[in-house]
Amino acid sequence: MVAKGLFDAAGGFDERFFMYHEEAELSRRLHRIAGTPTLFEGIHVLHEAFGSETSRDSTLREETRGLLTYAQITGQRGILVTRALTQLLLSPISAGARRRVVLLIDELRAARRAE
């Protein structure tokens, strides 16, 4: 949770994100303005992972787009390679894993062409 005044001072969510990684980018700006966040024990938040998912491939595609946006805004291009390798290592060796790797490679190539 963040106070409305601080949220507004940070500029709120960046509209260049559709979803995925927008909260990480906002957190970076909030940290610059307010410093290290305070942990309040006893507060619990339930996140319904993949609640908006229509398919694993579309989720991966949107997650990758969010990561590309994050990398472009922050200048952290190395995160893209790390993510691609992590995805490969964590995915079972299957047709689905190959599709995920191909999608990531396509997104990386598109980002490189856009530079």
Side-chain angles (χ1 to χ4, degrees):
M1 293 191 300
V2 62
K4 182 177 179 351
L6 184 56
F7 181 83
D8 291 343
F13 285 112
D14 188 319
E15 293 187 11
R16 289 176 284 185
F17 290 91
F18 169 60
M19 72 175 138
Y20 298 107
H21 303 288
E22 73 284 358
E23 75 288 355
E25 194 277 327
L26 174 62
S27 294
R28 290 181 80 247
R29 288 183 280 126
L30 290 168
H31 186 265
R32 266 190 256 132
I33 293 169
T36 304
T38 303
L39 173 65
F40 292 97
E41 294 188 33
I43 296 175
H44 301 278
V45 176
L46 176 63
H47 178 260
E48 184 74 30
F50 305 110
S52 301
E53 173 183 299
T54 56
S55 75
R56 290 281 181 190
D57 285 346
S58 67
T59 298
L60 179 63
R61 195 171 21 262
E62 293 305 329
E63 194 273 339
T64 301
R65 283 189 183 126
L67 187 62
L68 287 167
T69 302
Y70 181 86
Q72 289 167 347
I73 290 170
T74 64
Q76 296 181 1
R77 302 234 183 250
I79 198 170
L80 300 172
V81 174
T82 302
R83 176 66 176 150
L85 291 173
T86 301
Q87 192 71 15
L88 178 61
L89 291 173
L90 294 177
S91 297
I93 304 303
S94 67
R98 283 190 293 280
R99 277 196 313 274
R100 287 192 291 275
V101 172
V102 168
L103 287 171
L104 284 168
I105 291 169
D106 288 346
E107 293 289 344
L108 289 170
R109 286 180 180 152
R112 195 173 290 152
R113 282 191 302 269
E115 292 181 335

